[in-house]
């Protein structure tokens, strides 16, 4: 089963750490990601650019409206996602609890939704069946 792991970090945390500490933590994270890949648990993931590079899309007055920046003002900002392949939620927790990135900020772990039945039904409706 796939789990989406959302990694959060305080803005500017890398700038507030000594460079050697930040590099050591990044190296630990990448090494653990390599271990997850080797064992078939890393199904994808990406770091995100800082929140100030974001735009937010909302539906407003019958059309998409664009605003700069993230939607919510929070102490921690979404820093990246990791798609994890695990047997169950407990296995996902076990795997991510060893990830060095947890030291930089919390990870939210959610089961990926299986939309295959919904997509199949939508395809039938769109085909006029």
């Amino acid at each position: 089963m796939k789990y989406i792991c959302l990694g959060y970090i305080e803005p500017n945390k890398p700038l507030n750490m000594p460079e050697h500490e930040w590099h050591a933590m990044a190296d630990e994270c990448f090494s653990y990601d390599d271990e997850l890949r080797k064992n078939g648990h890393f199904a994808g993931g990406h770091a995100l650019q800082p929140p100030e590079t974001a735009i937010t899309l909302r539906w407003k007055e019958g059309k998409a409206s664009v605003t700069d920046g993230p939607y919510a003002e929070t102490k921690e900002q979404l820093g990246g996602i990791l798609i994890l392949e695990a047997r169950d939620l407990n296995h996902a927790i076990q795997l991510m609890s060893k990830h060095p990135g947890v030291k930089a900020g919390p990870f939210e772990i959610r089961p990926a939704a299986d939309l295959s039945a919904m997509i199949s039904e939508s395809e039938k409706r769109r085909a006029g069946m």
Side-chain angles (χ1 to χ4, degrees), residues 89-117:
L89 182 57
N90 287 332
H91 187 219
I93 292 168
Q94 179 186 37
L95 291 168
M96 290 310 294
S97 68
K98 296 176 188 172
H99 199 293
V102 173
K103 296 174 192 171
F107 272 85
E108 179 180 336
I109 303 171
R110 292 192 203 181
D114 180 1
L115 299 181
S116 55

Side-chain angles (χ1 to χ4, degrees), residues 5-50:
C5 305
L6 306 170
Y8 292 85
I9 189 166
E10 292 176 30
N12 299 321
K13 183 165 186 152
L15 300 175
N16 296 330
M17 293 176 71
E19 186 175 9
H20 71 278
E21 284 181 25
W22 179 250
H23 288 172
M25 187 174 73
D27 293 348
E28 284 182 73
C29 289
F30 296 139
S31 291
Y32 190 68
D33 290 348
D34 288 343
E35 186 177 324
L36 290 171
R37 277 186 198 86
K38 183 179 78 175
N39 293 314
H41 297 298
F42 190 98
H46 288 281
L48 298 174
Q49 291 188 13

